[in-house]
Amino acid sequence: MKKSQEKISIVVPCYNEEESLPIFYKEINKVAAELKDVLFEFLFINDGSSDNTLKILRKLAKKDKRARYISFSRNFGKEAGMYAGLSSATGDYVAIMDADMQDPPSMLISMYHGIVDEGYDCVALYTSSHDDYSVLRKFFTKCWYKLISLISSTPQVPGARDFRLMKRKMVQAIVDMGEYNRYTKGIFSFVGFDTKWINYQAPDRVAGKSKFNFIKLFKYALEGIVAFSTTPLVISAFLGIIFCLIAFIAILVIIIKTLFLGDPVSGWPSLACIIIFMGGVQLFFLGVIGMYLSKTYLEVKKRPIYIVKETEKDFM
Ligand code: UDP
Ligand code: MG
């Protein structure tokens, strides 16, 4: 019996990508033409864009049967976009790609062969040179990967991008992890499966501007720590024990000094420093606990990860 034709779904989160989308569509079409034996589905996620992204997607869906789109009711973030795409993709293989051509569509061909010919479940890309990063961003990125490898048991490949092609089984495992606070880079690693890593130099954005500024990236880094490590909580408990021990020794020293040496009470400046220091440490760890608690709070509320306003079916 002839094996039915396999399908690759391309999930593309788009937030104000009116300039990049036509270029991306042209390039992904070339790839689809090259992989003749495979069917394609282009699944664009309009993440509350305020430019003409939705109009372009409507036109695409009208003229190309392979093109579908999901349009959110507002901006929910790239993580929500990826989840929506993975949840509704129908292909045997699913790829996640940025619309800005930083994930070159031409690489899909070797990624596809990595799965079909070499037997991997997933082919993912990472970039080791960050020429486009500022010195500060390079420094924080390096520190973050060092820190997460120390405190988390879920490994994170430095420079890993979201660009990857996965088998359906892996996609299903990711979709089954329906957590609200999504840190997809960690989820990819958490679900396991055999992944082939390819190093590449990410080109510059073809048009438009990056949607991630320093503050957004910093929040994203914290998100990754809270989602995949509870070590900060252990550290707070550990420090608590150490400070108790120090306090106990200090009490003994003060009693001995007072009883045997008759030392009068003095040194309020040092006392003030100790109180301020301890207050700072306590507030810091209260904040750490608060971060975990707030994530638990959002998780318990079970709010939707995204809300759909329109799909290609509504527009047809
Ligand atoms: N993106 C999104 N929602 C957002 C921010 C970004 O869907 O809130 C999309 C964006 O359109 C692009 C991809 O995520 O296709 C990566 O974003 P960007 O290129 O701005 O990030 P960078 O490559 O600079 O990290
Ligand atoms: Mg980009």
Side-chain angles (χ1 to χ4, degrees):
M1 200 174 77
K2 191 173 176 284
K3 202 173 161 241
S4 66
Q5 231 176 343
E6 289 187 311
K7 180 155 70 173
I8 299 180
S9 297
I10 311 283
V11 169
V12 192
C14 308
Y15 178 45
N16 294 340
E17 297 288 3
E18 61 178 6
E19 290 164 276
S20 318
L21 268 176
I23 305 168
F24 176 82
Y25 180 67
K26 203 170 135 205
E27 288 303 311
I28 199 76
N29 254 315
K30 282 187 197 160
V31 173
E34 220 161 304
L35 290 171
K36 292 191 278 303
D37 301 331
V38 193
L39 295 174
F40 270 83
E41 168 182 68
F42 309 135
L43 181 50
F44 299 95
I45 317 297
N46 175 36
D47 186 14
S49 302
S50 52
D51 65 356
N52 286 318
T53 298
L54 182 57
K55 278 191 194 146
I56 294 173
L57 295 181
R58 282 177 184 151
K59 268 193 206 152
L60 277 184
K62 214 166 189 180
K63 77 164 191 196
D64 186 345
K65 267 202 329 220
R66 299 167 302 173
R68 293 173 52 203
Y69 68 87
I70 296 173
S71 186
F72 289 171
S73 58
R74 64 167 171 84
N75 178 254
F76 280 86
K78 187 186 176 187
E79 295 290 323
M82 289 194 284
Y83 184 65
L86 294 179
S87 306
S88 56
T90 58
D92 305 285
Y93 309 102
V94 184
I96 299 177
M97 300 181 74
D98 289 358
D100 60 4
M101 301 290 291
Q102 289 198 284
D103 302 335
S106 56
M107 297 206 65
L108 268 176
I109 297 168
S110 55
M111 291 163 83
Y112 175 68
H113 288 302
I115 291 187
V116 175
D117 303 333
E118 295 174 47
Y120 285 98
D121 300 306
C122 168
V123 178
L125 274 82
Y126 74 99
T127 175
S128 49
S129 61
H130 300 288
D131 301 338
D132 52 329
Y133 285 14
S134 65
V135 179
L136 198 66
R137 186 169 168 188
K138 268 188 202 163
F139 172 74
F140 274 109
T141 306
K142 211 171 159 185
C143 291
W144 188 86
Y145 279 112
K146 279 224 167 93
L147 179 71
I148 200 78
S149 69
L150 272 176
I151 65 174
S152 173
S153 53
T154 309
Q156 307 272 334
V157 172
R161 296 191 55 92
D162 293 325
F163 184 20
R164 52 179 66 220
L165 181 69
M166 296 167 275
K167 274 188 182 166
R168 163 106 334 247
K169 267 204 173 142
M170 180 166 176
V171 174
Q172 197 51 51
I174 295 167
V175 171
D176 288 345
M177 290 181 69
E179 54 202 65
Y180 179 78
N181 299 287
R182 299 193 73 75
Y183 180 73
T184 308
K185 280 194 176 68
I187 294 177
F188 286 144
S189 168
F190 181 88
V191 295
F193 293 93
D194 290 337
T195 301
K196 177 181 176 178
W197 285 98
I198 302 178
N199 188 357
Y200 87 121
Q201 167 85 47
D204 287 343
R205 232 177 193 281
V206 73
K209 273 199 301 208
S210 170
K211 315 296 183 300
F212 290 89
N213 57 25
F214 187 78
I215 294 175
K216 253 187 159 181
L217 281 170
F218 192 77
K219 275 188 177 165
Y220 184 60
L222 285 183
E223 196 88 27
I225 292 174
V226 177
F228 282 93
S229 172
T230 47
T231 308
L233 294 174
V234 179
I235 294 175
S236 76
F238 185 71
L239 272 185
I241 294 170
I242 297 218
F243 280 122
C244 282
L245 279 177
I246 293 174
F248 183 68
I249 294 167
I251 288 167
L252 282 182
V253 170
I254 290 166
I255 290 174
I256 292 166
K257 262 173 92 178
T258 312
L259 286 182
F260 297 103
L261 303 175
D263 197 25
V265 179
S266 67
W268 77 266
S270 53
L271 203 64
C273 290
I274 292 167
I275 291 172
I276 292 166
F277 175 69
M278 288 310 297
V281 170
Q282 282 175 359
L283 274 182
F284 176 75
F285 282 105
L286 207 58
V288 171
I289 296 166
M291 268 166 52
Y292 284 89
L293 192 65
S294 69
K295 295 290 168 197
T296 316
Y297 172 63
L298 288 172
E299 214 64 62
V300 169
K301 279 190 171 209
K302 292 209 182 306
R303 282 182 179 164
I305 295 168
Y306 60 89
I307 295 169
V308 178
K309 187 173 167 195
E310 177 186 320
T311 70
E312 80 283 349
K313 291 194 189 84
D314 300 316
F315 191 65
M316 293 292 163

